[in-house]
Amino acid sequence: MFKDLDWRSAARRSAVVVAIYLAVFYLLSVAFPESFRLRSSQDVTALLINAVFFFFIFTLIYALLDRRRARMMAEARKKREEGSERSVPGPLKGRPNPNTSRKKAARRRR
């Protein structure tokens, strides 16, 4: 389940998300001190424990999502390469379509 995971990029992304979480919570505690309290060291400690917990959860989620995206891209690339190998250009490739009448097109334009 944890094979081929890119932990480094997932940790960076989750660190950014957790930093935004901490910044928003701090700004809200300054703007609305009654609702979002950071008055005591217990409140700050609880906030930091939650941030660490979120960091590990988000790291796991982002690592799994990146692996899934990489697998899907590889699968799409493989299908695209197989499709290009199968399609052999026909004898009319790059030539005018013989099924269209130039006279009809000229009459429509007038």
Side-chain angles (χ1 to χ4, degrees), residues 31-47:
F32 305 105
E34 296 300 321
S35 299
F36 299 93
R37 293 187 291 263
L38 286 179
R39 293 183 185 156
S40 68
S41 63
Q42 291 177 343
D43 295 335
V44 174
T45 304
L47 177 67

Side-chain angles (χ1 to χ4, degrees), residues 29-88:
S29 70
V30 170
F32 305 105
E34 296 300 321
S35 299
F36 299 93
R37 293 187 291 263
L38 286 179
R39 293 183 185 156
S40 68
S41 63
Q42 291 177 343
D43 295 335
V44 174
T45 304
L47 177 67
L48 292 177
I49 289 172
N50 286 337
V52 169
F53 178 73
F54 287 149
F55 174 78
F56 287 119
I57 295 296
F58 288 149
T59 301
L60 176 65
I61 289 171
Y62 284 137
L64 292 172
L65 288 175
D66 286 342
R67 182 181 65 182
R68 180 176 178 263
R69 183 183 306 130
R71 285 182 179 176
M72 289 178 62
M73 295 293 286
E75 186 177 310
R77 191 178 315 113
K78 183 179 175 184
K79 283 183 182 179
R80 193 174 341 123
E81 289 173 359
E82 285 177 3
S84 65
E85 291 173 359
R86 287 186 196 171
S87 63
V88 177

